[in-house]
Amino acid sequence: MPSLPQLPADVAERLAEAERRHASGRLEAAAATYREVLWLAPGQAEAAANLGAILRRLGRPAEALAIYDACLALEPEAPLVLANRANLLNDLKRWSQALASADRALGIEPDLATAQNARGNALMGLGRFAEALAAFAQAGDAGLMNAGRACLALARPAEALDWADRAALAAPDAARPRMVRGHALGALGRWGEAAEAYDAAFARRPDEPFLAGYRLHARMRACRWDGFDAAVADLAGRIDAGAPASAPFPLVAVPVGPDIQRRCAEAYMAATSAAVRVRTPPPPSARIRLGYFSADFHDHATGRLLAEVVELHDRSRFEVTAFSFGPDTGDALQARLKSGFDRFYDVRRIGDADVAGMARGLGLDIAVDLKGLTAGSRPEIFAHGAAPVQVSYLGYPMTLGAAFIDWIVADPVLVRPGEEGLYAERVARLPGCYQPNDRTRRPGPPTRRLDHGLPEDALVLASFNASYKITPEVFGLWMRLLAETPRAVLWLLQDDRDAARNLGREARGHGVDPARLVFAPAARPAEHLERLAHADLFLDTWPCSAHTTASDALWAGLPLLTREGDTFAGRVAASLLRASDLPELVAIDADDYLDRARRLLAEPAALGAIRRKVAAARERSPVFDTPAYVAALEALYVGMLGRGP
């Protein structure tokens, strides 16, 4: 670093006073004094760097950028000013400019940790995660937590946990390292520990952006319900007040209304996205160029639902391209999907803006986002503009709250007439159920109940929904059914060790022997379809219902009892059942749900009759008429483009 000239005494005195005010937290007074210094010595880099940092903290980025640029015009080789400028440009999500500023700083002072950290953040914004990790690793303590973020983006959660632990040791009072620690533990499936990490972060800074939502979601994953109602009320209140209190997806199973979900999504997108959508009319084409974007083009619920849709698209009218940013698993379903698309692009290592540019270059008419804001999503591709028409479909049962998504695909049950204002997107309704299905799936080899730890003579009540969908209210009703039906057992999915333990304790609290809860491990799709035959009744959850698990149950001939909720995610099972002409399995509220379950369990003839009706629906239900479904979906796409039939 070049040596600094000796400051005149009056300038040095004012600079020292500014630094004292800055250190004491008197930001406005410090800013005024730094301005005095710059009036006396316009190229004084230390004053410019600190004044810009204060203005950045006060939410005045334009002023801060002007200060930095004015200083650099007089003193081009001021590494701290360049590094702070890079931080500010990162705030503004001007990633390429931030990277250039950080690189200039490092060219002058290669070991400047602030610049390395800013460089890493810029690379994260550009989707260059491996390079970001390398930068953070050279940024000292400032880069520890961000290195954890980079490892999470690279799907290396064990390494992320190590970085987060080191960051927490270096900053005992900081919330963010503990939040990243929670993210890493969640990615490792250790939700009980994740909840404790989020609790530790919350104790340090309860208003940390999105933390309250992550904390509640981890507790729900672990079925840890202490203070549940208070946490829900607190989170809803924060969102209603406009605070960025949660990422949107954690709300999917929280008992709040779709209005709160939309406010949450809009606050999240306002805080995280600053891309300006490019709209380029595609060149004329005889066929509609359709692009599907996902991280789930492999043996995943979305991939399984979509496979036959891709194969059945009318190639005389549609050209169908996949943009995959998920793992290259090499499994059979991925191979099937690759062969089903006209073109399949692996874009994992391409930045969001470049993927959007690539899609525009291919002349896409419609870009279909299959991820929304779920794990592994890349909404910034659509923020930059991948196609003139952009659609949210299948993988995300909520509004994105984003101006860059034009349509959401739904049906008349999921979004009733008059509810369109609850969604930032325009609502496009399929005539039946919005969910597609693959008719080619087959169950695995037959098994016995004993193979699954089930008593041969029991009434088996099943719920294979994820643990976070089970709420205290729902579980309490299930325990009432078990208490009233001594022969019954409850068969649940074991997707978290802590959740299983906590549910056992909750059962005991309701006076039910925890041994009557039987936990099933995750299984391959064919094995799961086969084992469903051993259940007598599927009990659904709310406020988030079964989705793929619901169509699996119906395909296997298993009756599913649901309660129709208030949100898109809470109505998927109801949509499937109504489209299958099974309205008797759709309750209107909790009391109705309990009454219908009691009747079915008390009357074997009624349960047998509904089971026969469910089995017959597989052959005649539009839910499983995939060719008709694809024709209706294609008609929606044509309508979105404003074209005639």
Side-chain angles (χ1 to χ4, degrees), residues 52-64 88:
I54 288 174
L55 293 170
R56 177 188 174 210
R57 184 173 171 184
L58 292 173
R60 290 148 61 180
E63 291 180 59
L88 178 65

Side-chain angles (χ1 to χ4, degrees), residues 280-290 314-319 362-367 387-389 407 426 631-645:
T280 304
S285 172
R287 296 192 294 170
I288 293 173
R289 287 160 296 207
L290 188 62
D314 182 353
R315 290 319 201 268
S316 70
R317 302 174 65 206
F318 289 85
E319 179 182 283
L362 292 169
L364 284 197
D365 296 292
I366 300 175
V389 174
W407 295 89
R426 295 175 68 185
L633 180 64
E634 291 177 345
L636 275 194
Y637 289 150
V638 170
M640 290 172 185
L641 289 171
R643 301 185 186 181

Side-chain angles (χ1 to χ4, degrees), residues 3-13 41 44:
S3 60
L4 295 175
Q6 183 72 32
L7 288 175
D10 58 338
V11 177
E13 180 183 338
Q44 215 291 317

Side-chain angles (χ1 to χ4, degrees), residues 20 48 50 64 77-78 124 270 353 373 401 408 475-476 482 485 503 553 564 570:
R20 284 192 293 272
N50 291 341
E77 294 197 350
M124 287 288 288
L373 296 172
I408 184 170
F475 193 74
L482 288 186
T485 316
L503 289 174
E564 189 167 337

Side-chain angles (χ1 to χ4, degrees), residues 161 178-187 189-204 211-226 496 498-499 501-502:
L161 181 59
R178 287 151 184 85
M179 187 163 80
V180 174
R181 187 172 194 274
H183 296 343
L185 288 163
R190 294 158 57 180
W191 286 104
E193 295 173 80
E196 292 174 359
Y198 291 131
D199 284 347
F202 195 79
R204 287 162 173 79
L211 174 57
Y214 290 130
R215 176 179 180 243
L216 180 57
H217 184 67
R219 287 171 164 232
M220 293 175 73
R221 284 272 191 178
C223 296
R224 194 184 122 191
W225 297 330
D226 52 300
D496 182 80
D498 291 307
R501 184 174 60 250
N502 289 335

Side-chain angles (χ1 to χ4, degrees), residues 254-392:
V254 175
V256 297
D259 55 332
I260 293 293
Q261 289 182 348
R262 176 169 181 173
R263 290 180 197 176
C264 176
E266 289 174 339
Y268 180 83
M269 295 310 303
T272 60
S273 178
V276 177
R277 180 176 175 183
V278 176
R279 293 180 182 267
T280 304
S285 172
R287 296 192 294 170
I288 293 173
R289 287 160 296 207
L290 188 62
Y292 286 103
F293 295 72
S294 184
D296 300 328
F297 294 130
H298 56 94
D299 193 1
H300 179 280
T302 300
R304 293 193 291 271
L305 292 174
L306 192 71
E308 195 175 10
V309 171
V310 172
E311 293 164 347
L312 292 178
H313 269 309
D314 182 353
R315 290 319 201 268
S316 70
R317 302 174 65 206
F318 289 85
E319 179 182 283
V320 190
T321 301
F323 296 81
S324 173
F325 40 87
D328 184 8
T329 61
D331 61 55
L333 185 61
Q334 186 168 80
R336 178 183 171 191
L337 285 162
K338 284 183 175 181
S339 65
F341 284 102
D342 297 316
R343 293 177 293 191
F344 190 99
Y345 294 109
D346 184 339
V347 297
R348 283 176 293 171
R349 295 174 177 83
I350 303 175
D352 295 335
D354 290 336
V355 173
M358 174 183 173
R360 292 194 303 271
L362 292 169
L364 284 197
D365 296 292
I366 300 175
V368 182
D369 179 13
L370 296 167
K371 287 297 293 180
L373 296 172
T374 55
S377 62
R378 292 178 61 178
E380 290 299 283
I381 292 173
F382 307 95
H384 285 285
V389 174
Q390 301 191 139
V391 184
S392 175

